[in-house]
Amino acid sequence: MEKMMVGLSLALSAIVWGQKGPVKTNLTPYSYQTFNCDNKGYFDASKYEKEEIDGVNKLLYKFNGVHFDTNPIFKLSSLEEVRRNKDQHLENLEKQYQEKKQELYSLKVINQPVWKKLYENAIQTFENEYELNKEEIMAFSDPTTLKNSRFYETCRESIDAISSPDREKMFASWKAYTELKSKNNADPQGVMNRFNAKLNDPQSEDYALIDMIGLSFHNCANSSFRQKRDEEGNVYRDFDKIFTKLKKNCDEP
């Protein structure tokens, strides 16, 4: 009887000890850079894979802005160059697209709604930015190509003016756009004076295309697929929450 009681006591002790024992976690160190900070912390390897965290990290800090290296067109010389070397610019854009697409589409991200949505948005933004750059390169040589733009329904007014055979229609739209833009400028009259000088220049049509394609159409199309910055702030904080004992070493702003 005494031996039975000792055995029962030991068994109960083992059960109690098992209940009170700490839950084991596999904390793994992880370092990453944000915009002005070096960050070091630990993630629970029983919940996340390093490859998944790397994927989210790239979405936040590599695929969160402009993806393609292209030269904006602001001067007549730049316009002439992109027309002269249109095929080369398209080829360079395509090369960048294929390289970046391979990396983006092969990312593995954490299987949670916030990160899956972020990934979907990144892919959509990437594809739209590529299409916008391609359409602009082609439109600077042939404005009528914008009639087939992916962004036609969103930017119909700008596209109709740019692609119209009636150049006066484009000039009128150009003037209306410039007048609207001048209202947010510290020197609105100066903006209009520069516009009038371009309007009366022998290459007025080229000046109009620079502004209407590179600014009016570009801004319209670009804003239709870019994620709002104030919404992005939350996901950066969510990413930091993955880590325990997180330490930030930040440069002074």
Side-chain angles (χ1 to χ4, degrees), residues 5 13 20 24 28 38 56 59 63 66 99 111 123 126 128 164-165 167-168 176 190 204-205 219 225 250:
M5 293 300 294
S13 297
K20 292 184 178 180
K24 291 184 178 180
T28 303
D38 291 324
V56 174
L59 289 181
F63 289 100
V66 176
E99 290 174 352
N111 188 24
I123 289 175
F126 173 78
N128 279 314
S164 173
R167 297 292 81 184
E168 292 304 317
S204 57
E205 187 172 328
N219 291 341
F225 61 80
C250 301

Side-chain angles (χ1 to χ4, degrees), residues 147-251:
K147 291 179 179 180
N148 299 317
S149 171
R150 173 182 294 187
F151 311 100
Y152 181 76
E153 293 303 323
T154 304
C155 307
R156 180 191 297 265
E157 185 177 347
S158 291
I159 291 175
D160 283 348
I162 294 167
S163 61
S164 173
D166 181 2
R167 297 292 81 184
E168 292 304 317
K169 181 177 181 179
M170 184 177 70
F171 289 146
S173 183
W174 179 31
K175 181 178 181 180
Y177 173 76
T178 307
E179 287 175 339
L180 184 62
K181 187 174 65 173
S182 72
K183 294 178 181 179
N184 297 320
N185 191 280
D187 182 16
Q189 188 56 53
V191 172
M192 296 310 301
N193 288 342
R194 288 188 291 275
F195 165 78
N196 287 322
K198 292 177 181 178
L199 182 62
N200 294 314
D201 190 278
Q203 290 186 271
S204 57
E205 187 172 328
D206 285 342
Y207 278 119
L209 287 175
I210 288 174
D211 283 356
M212 291 300 293
I213 295 175
L215 294 176
S216 179
F217 166 68
H218 177 89
N219 291 341
C220 173
N222 191 58
S223 63
S224 72
F225 61 80
R226 291 289 177 192
Q227 300 301 307
K228 295 181 179 178
R229 288 290 179 182
D230 57 347
E231 294 178 353
E232 291 180 354
N234 294 324
V235 293
Y236 292 108
R237 289 188 288 272
D238 288 341
F239 184 66
D240 288 346
K241 290 176 183 177
I242 292 172
F243 307 99
T244 60
K245 302 178 182 178
L246 183 63
K247 293 184 178 180
K248 294 175 175 285
N249 182 15
C250 301
D251 296 331

Side-chain angles (χ1 to χ4, degrees), residues 110-122:
I110 298 169
N111 188 24
Q112 293 175 354
V114 61
W115 308 122
K116 291 171 71 175
K117 181 180 179 182
L118 183 70
Y119 193 21
E120 291 172 2
N121 289 340

